[in-house]
Amino acid sequence: QQQVKQSPQSLIVQKGGIPIINCAYENTAFDYFPWYQQFPGKGPALLIAIRPDVSEKKEGRFTISFNKSAKQFSLHIMDSQPGDSATYFCAASTTGTASKLTFGTGTRLQVTL
Amino acid sequence: KAGVTQTPRYLIKTRGQQVTLSCSPISGHRSVSWYQQTPGQGLQFLFEYFSETQRNKGNFPGRFSGRQFSNSRSEMNVSTLELGDSALYLCASSLVGGTGIEQYFGPGTRLTVT
């Protein structure tokens, strides 16, 4: 059962564009939503995370928008750069003593010059 | 502060053999989680250890096991390897664990089963 659905699978934008990656979840018990960035040959790196008590969070050029009623959240990358070309994963987990990250399927982003 | 380290980085094993992978968490982190990453199934949770106790387990067969030592270092073991076990095995550590606190990943161990 896929509990976190991520789209699109791949995305190409020009430098300076604003790629948007969307995720939807099913489990209403999820209350922690991180985004990870992964470069080839590397482990995922934590970018930014949000909890459902806020609708938006910004860190540098990365913004998470969260819609609790729709059970959806998205990542926006402002002023995208070629160095942002990577695979991005959304994830979700529950707060408690037995949490685990459930990941989306990933979005391969390419930022062209 | 050093990040999560995993050894070895690359491993080639034959079907039927067993393998042990090692993970050293960020200093001070007490929780270690393991994930399997494959092109077909993506990132899947294997198990989490906190204070030497397994606190959560994913949907993997019993051939996959792990343990955590008193210094928080963790090992995972896969017995009777199958071709489908070829994957990138990732370890992640967090300060407290099991509470949705940020998890930081290591570079992974690339396991190839022939």
Side-chain angles (χ1 to χ4, degrees):
Chain A
Q1 179 188 7
Q2 183 186 7
Q3 296 190 47
V4 180
K5 295 183 179 180
Q6 183 172 347
S7 63
Q9 186 174 1
S10 63
L11 191 54
I12 301 175
V13 300
Q14 284 192 320
K15 178 183 174 183
I18 305 176
I20 300 173
I21 304 170
N22 300 297
C23 285
Y25 62 98
E26 301 168 5
N27 186 350
T28 55
F30 286 151
D31 59 1
Y32 172 69
F33 304 89
W35 284 88
Y36 284 85
Q37 176 191 59
Q38 186 176 30
F39 293 104
K42 305 289 186 181
L46 180 64
L47 268 179
I48 184 173
I50 197 168
R51 292 192 182 269
D53 53 343
V54 297
S55 60
E56 186 176 276
K57 182 176 181 180
K58 294 182 180 180
E59 284 189 7
R61 295 184 294 108
F62 301 95
T63 299
I64 299 179
S65 297
F66 187 84
N67 186 329
K68 186 175 181 179
S69 61
K71 294 186 288 185
Q72 295 176 346
F73 57 110
S74 60
L75 177 70
H76 301 230
I77 305 176
M78 307 302 177
D79 187 27
S80 59
Q81 302 296 313
D84 296 329
S85 297
T87 300
Y88 293 81
F89 293 93
C90 62
S93 71
T94 60
T95 298
T97 58
S99 70
K100 63 183 182 182
L101 286 172
T102 298
F103 282 89
T105 50
T107 296
R108 184 170 294 182
L109 172 66
Q110 183 180 352
V111 181
T112 62
L113 290 170
Chain B
K1 185 180 282 188
V4 177
T5 59
Q6 293 187 243
T7 58
R9 291 294 312 279
Y10 303 92
L11 206 50
I12 300 175
K13 289 288 188 178
T14 303
R15 192 171 44 185
Q17 289 185 315
Q18 74 166 14
V19 67
T20 299
L21 312 181
S22 181
C23 171
S24 292
I26 293 171
S27 177
H29 284 195
R30 297 171 60 192
S31 168
V32 173
S33 297
W34 288 88
Y35 293 82
Q36 181 195 65
Q37 185 174 26
T38 60
Q41 298 300 316
L43 280 151
Q44 293 187 290
F45 174 80
L46 280 156
F47 31 64
E48 179 208 3
Y49 284 87
F50 179 74
S51 294
E52 302 177 64
T53 301
Q54 186 182 90
R55 298 208 300 181
N56 202 3
K57 191 176 189 303
N59 298 320
F60 279 82
R63 300 184 297 107
F64 292 82
S65 63
R67 60 177 176 169
Q68 187 180 34
F69 302 96
S70 58
N71 61 359
S72 295
R73 190 177 69 85
S74 177
E75 290 181 346
M76 70 162 280
N77 183 277
V78 187
S79 62
T80 320
L81 284 166
E82 300 177 359
L83 296 178
D85 296 333
S86 294
L88 180 67
Y89 289 89
L90 293 158
C91 160
S93 76
S94 63
L95 191 59
V96 176
T99 60
I101 299 300
E102 292 83 1
Q103 292 190 37
Y104 298 92
F105 283 82
T109 294
R110 173 73 63 185
L111 172 64
T112 301
V113 182
T114 63

